[in-house]
Amino acid sequence: MVDIATRVYNHKWKIDPIVRSLIDTDFYKLLMCQSVFRNRPDTTVTFSLINRTRSIRLAELVDEGELREQLDHVRGLRLSRGESTWLRGNTFYGRRQMFRSDFMEFLEGLRLPPYQLEKRDGQYELIFEGKWPEVMLWEIPALAILMELRSRAVLKDMGRFELQVLYARAMTRLWEKVQALRQLDNLRIADFGTRRRHSFLWQDWCVQAMMEGLGERFTGTSNCLIAMRRDIEAIGTNAHELPMVYAALADTDEELRRAPYDVLADWHEEHEGNLRVILPDTYGTAGFLEHAPDWLAGWTGIRIDSGDPVEGAEAAIRWWRERGEDPRRKLIIFSDGLDVEKIVDLHHRFHDRVKVSFGWGTLLTNDFRGLVAGDGLAPFSLVCKAVAANGRPTVKLSDNPAKATGPADEIARYRRIFEATEQQAIPVLV
Amino acid sequence: MVDIATRVYNHKWKIDPIVRSLIDTDFYKLLMCQSVFRNRPDTTVTFSLINRTRSIRLAELVDEGELREQLDHVRGLRLSRGESTWLRGNTFYGRRQMFRSDFMEFLEGLRLPPYQLEKRDGQYELIFEGKWPEVMLWEIPALAILMELRSRAVLKDMGRFELQVLYARAMTRLWEKVQALRQLDNLRIADFGTRRRHSFLWQDWCVQAMMEGLGERFTGTSNCLIAMRRDIEAIGTNAHELPMVYAALADTDEELRRAPYDVLADWHEEHEGNLRVILPDTYGTAGFLEHAPDWLAGWTGIRIDSGDPVEGAEAAIRWWRERGEDPRRKLIIFSDGLDVEKIVDLHHRFHDRVKVSFGWGTLLTNDFRGLVAGDGLAPFSLVCKAVAANGRPTVKLSDNPAKATGPADEIARYRRIFEATEQQAIPVLV
């Protein structure tokens, strides 16, 4: 039986929306937003879309009208009553009322600020400017929209059964990954793939497949909407955005040197336990750990998001030992460019020495490599970064020079101040 | 939106039926039925289920109650008005009113006769007895029911995503076959897979995938219900059943010798063109062709359904030449144990020398080999044959001794009368 009402309702859609909710975003964005709302609410921040894979000419693939429709749709979104209830009433990391009342009121009233869109040299220049706690929530929807519009553009001339077989292949591939991962006892892995997902529905499928295939090994998803709908944990802590903006706001070299620790001092006041996770690589992991205050060694864990992950984890373990901490009680979260082989290797290397956890992103939710002619669905490296704060440029060094961002002279200044040694560039796949 | 009415309606089902219509059967069954209804309506015939793959203990896998429910459901089926309209009004092989009015009236009033079911030695003994034109229509639904109940039994403990990936794999496999076949120019191939399909829905999917993937190379399906619903050609001619029953009814050796030709003489009166297709292997192709009357050489084609297909086709070509016919105007239909490799090979060998067509059965609609643990979904060799007519046993020799049926002494007598030479047994996969 066809449900006539559903069919007529579907015909009434102006668009098939990609981002259907303000909480179709990463959980850590909301955590950071609350921190920013409390500590730096009046900072003006600019976010910009950056396609690191220049060979993919997005402005030629994706129709500008469709892109505007999707972005406009997001601007029309408001937090729903049910979403608000879920955020207010849920337990995150075992704690109730993670979100304060004043922040929830802010979120309930929020609409995302305007965007600026232009085409240049086959790419879209997409810029968001506004108060930090508002504008920062554009990052994830902007990325998800561009990624999915690209998928749709590639798929639009395919036949119905060709499409079904395409997804059959992608499902089979993911299931084989799940089968390989279920061999690992004590694995703890979460979905971090919202921003570069193939599509919303595909991410939702991947999460459900992980739930069935991995059982308790699957710890949750970074995506709040999917976490709510599938009744699983929302996962995440914090990102480079915080130290980048704090650093850009520093007036002196001394303030700049202190900025990454100031961020974590603010975080320390707000959060405890599993939310106390250091992201040390913004201006080089080595220097960060060397100069870190002792109270940071008491934090629960470290997230390794660039550079060689084995070296990064070894550095963290050494650092904990030097500071008199027992690494076996510490958590290392790997989240950079993971796929099964790397996960298996890192798990075997470290799971007896520290608590290990994985945040699996693009190659979980967008591994369509080789599935269409010309490899037109292969994931690519699209980011949306805070590029300026109160008019000053931001800088990121990372442990991989290929991931560095910012003006060249500022990069040089940051290198000097943070004593960042020259490191080897690792090609960025995603 | 969930369609509540659909959901409630589904809850009301007593069973999830496997055979949903009297025309969920092979087209050639209806053609033969009409011929039998005209020429031998009062013959009493016994059909019996025979599982040639003894290692699959069907009575242990498939619940007897469920089997009875499905068989009872088929006994409750009546030809619907729309089905009758389709049979009366459709063009088959370019001809309207293929089915005569008296036959249509018979079919509209038909209910299938009772069945006898017993368990013996891990197998089901399933027997149908009745007037030939009625009882013969049990063959295809009985096979389809047993095949699908076996699939359901194997699938019943699998998880939702595990199931989805299973079908994803089967779809991918079929699509790869379709991709390989679309390389063949002038290919003509039809679905003959009803009787040993994995399930009804899967056959329907396979047919639609062939439609999209092969376009005009796909000539239709033997399944009338799917042909009607998907608006494609219903394909088929005749089967061993006709000469087997005619032969069993013969009173003398001379009548027996003549029986296979008597069948085709009756057919000759009723049909022309593409329906004049010889199935020569019931009692050995070599003897059949050697003793065939000249008017048979004028028929359109030959179907090769056992033995070495290259030898069979070469024998047919030689025979046409000997009888002064031009093989390039003749049709050879291959229909025995086909898969892509064999189809490609036979196409390359013969498509320049005769018109070639393929009837692709089990490995189209039931290739789940290797897709579950223990290979529990691999197809197996289940048949439902006319074993007696008016109390006399039937015999089939075939060009493959592994496919021979009947009592040993009768097989010996038939061998002598039809001068059937000893041939090499070829393992029967499906």
Side-chain angles (χ1 to χ4, degrees), chain A residues 3-148:
Chain A
D3 177 358
I4 301 171
T6 299
R7 190 125 171 191
V8 172
Y9 174 75
N10 290 347
H11 281 154
K12 288 167 55 181
W13 288 6
K14 275 183 300 210
I15 59 167
D16 183 359
I18 290 172
V19 172
R20 301 141 195 244
S21 152
L22 277 184
I23 68 164
D24 181 9
T25 193
D26 281 340
F27 179 63
Y28 77 174
K29 272 285 176 181
L30 298 182
L31 283 183
M32 289 191 289
C33 187
Q34 174 167 252
S35 179
V36 166
F37 176 75
R38 168 177 169 163
N39 298 303
R40 308 282 171 117
D42 295 321
T43 315
T44 297
V45 172
T46 309
F47 275 76
S48 171
L49 190 84
I50 301 157
N51 178 6
R52 296 192 288 214
T53 311
R54 308 300 292 179
S55 59
I56 293 182
R57 297 174 69 80
L58 276 179
E60 291 167 10
L61 268 170
V62 169
D63 179 73
E64 185 178 332
E66 285 179 33
L67 174 53
R68 285 185 184 275
E69 276 179 343
Q70 293 291 345
L71 295 167
D72 291 342
H73 181 79
V74 171
R75 289 206 67 212
L77 294 173
R78 292 282 284 268
L79 198 69
S80 78
R81 178 189 284 258
E83 291 162 352
S84 173
T85 301
W86 183 79
L87 288 172
R88 283 173 180 273
N90 201 0
T91 308
F92 299 98
Y93 291 89
R95 197 186 129 191
R96 277 206 195 282
Q97 290 180 299
M98 168 79 73
F99 296 106
R100 294 187 312 272
S101 276
D102 61 337
F103 174 68
M104 284 308 304
E105 276 156 33
F106 155 77
L107 212 56
E108 283 158 0
L110 178 69
R111 282 176 187 258
L112 295 197
Y115 60 89
Q116 299 158 41
L117 178 65
E118 275 178 57
K119 282 187 185 185
R120 189 159 305 170
D121 191 25
Q123 300 294 342
Y124 283 116
E125 281 199 358
L126 178 56
I127 289 170
F128 308 95
E129 199 171 273
K131 294 293 173 201
W132 191 8
E134 298 180 355
V135 74
M136 67 189 293
L137 292 177
W138 260 119
E139 176 185 355
I140 309 299
L143 291 171
I145 285 171
L146 261 305
M147 293 304 291
E148 186 162 345

Side-chain angles (χ1 to χ4, degrees), chain A residues 1-3 5-6 9 159-165 168-169 171-172 175-176 179 205 208-209 212, chain B residues 1-3 5-6 9 159-165 168-169 171-172 175-176 179 205 208-209 212:
Chain A
M1 263 192 261
V2 174
D3 177 358
T6 299
Y9 174 75
R160 189 174 147 210
F161 285 76
E162 202 180 0
L163 278 172
Q164 199 171 6
V165 171
R169 287 183 165 136
M171 286 173 182
T172 300
W175 195 251
E176 279 161 8
Q179 301 281 52
W205 191 91
Q208 292 175 79
E212 180 178 304
Chain B
M1 261 193 263
V2 174
D3 177 359
T6 299
Y9 174 76
R160 190 174 147 210
F161 284 78
E162 202 179 2
L163 278 172
Q164 198 171 6
V165 171
R169 286 184 166 135
M171 287 174 181
T172 299
W175 194 251
E176 278 160 9
Q179 301 282 51
W205 192 92
Q208 293 175 80
E212 180 179 304

Side-chain angles (χ1 to χ4, degrees), chain B residues 335-353:
Chain B
S335 62
D336 181 32
L338 295 176
D339 205 359
V340 167
E341 204 182 343
K342 201 185 279 189
I343 294 168
V344 170
D345 176 54
L346 291 169
H347 180 81
H348 285 316
R349 278 177 193 267
F350 292 106
H351 85 283
D352 281 342
R353 301 169 59 198

